[in-house]
């Protein structure tokens, strides 16, 4: 009787664990579905915003070109507008790169190798041999 009771208890425990796992999977799946729906909507809005900004920038460039064309030949106005846009792009690039800190060098010129690889990952470097290894020479 005791063995039958243990089998029934084991079966019920396994059934309960499977049921809890199924509920957890469904809950996680529903949550991920809701999060991905919100993220898709946000990504779509960002993409639409970028497209509208691109057209607005094109309209501003056209307006600047047309304003310059009133006093200059058309080709000169277009060239000057392109140069202005290039300067703005370069300034924006410089502003973006100014926020990033440069990576430290992995090697020190004239110095010794560090005791461990950069970022502290892996095993320490093996010791440097005193003499270079013998390399067999091929006769041609």
């Amino acid at each position: 009787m005791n063995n039958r009771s243990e089998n029934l208890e084991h079966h019920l425990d396994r059934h309960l664990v499977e049921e809890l796992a199924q509920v957890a999977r469904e809950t996680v799946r529903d949550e991920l579905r809701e999060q991905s729906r919100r993220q898709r909507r946000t990504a779509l809005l960002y993409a639409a915003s970028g497209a509208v900004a691109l057209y607005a920038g094109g309209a501003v460039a056209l307006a600047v070109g047309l304003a310059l064309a009133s006093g200059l030949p058309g080709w000169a106005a277009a060239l000057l507008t392109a140069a202005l846009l290039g300067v703005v792009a370069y300034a924006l690039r410089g502003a973006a790169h100014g926020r990033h800190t440069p990576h430290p060098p992995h090697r020190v010129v004239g110095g010794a190798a560090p005791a461990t690889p950069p970022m502290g990952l892996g095993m320490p470097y093996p010791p440097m041999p005193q003499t270079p290894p013998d390399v067999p020479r091929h006769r041609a």
Side-chain angles (χ1 to χ4, degrees):
M1 176 101 170
N2 193 17
N3 190 20
R4 188 173 182 184
S5 172
E6 287 178 10
N7 279 341
L8 180 62
E9 186 177 313
H10 176 69
H11 178 73
L12 289 175
D13 285 347
R14 192 175 68 210
H15 182 69
L16 181 63
V17 167
E18 289 173 3
E19 190 175 327
L20 285 173
Q22 180 66 27
V23 169
R25 279 192 295 270
E26 289 173 3
T27 303
V28 168
R29 188 179 302 128
D30 291 343
E31 181 65 28
L32 288 175
R33 187 176 294 129
E34 179 64 25
Q35 284 180 3
S36 66
R37 186 185 66 78
R38 283 193 305 259
Q39 288 175 348
R40 275 194 308 266
R41 183 176 183 276
T42 302
L44 180 66
L45 291 173
Y46 274 121
S49 169
V52 170
L54 182 66
Y55 281 111
V60 168
L62 179 64
V64 168
L66 289 174
L68 290 172
S70 65
L72 297 171
W75 64 268
L79 188 62
L80 191 56
T81 302
L84 286 172
L85 289 173
V87 167
V88 169
Y90 186 76
L92 290 173
R93 179 184 170 270
H97 282 288
R99 291 187 214 153
H100 300 293
T101 59
H103 295 289
H106 292 290
R107 294 186 214 175
V108 178
V109 177
T116 59
M119 307 296 288
L121 301 175
M123 298 294 293
Y125 292 121
M128 182 69 95
Q130 296 297 328
T131 59
D134 291 330
V135 179
R137 296 181 187 236
H138 296 287
R139 295 181 186 172

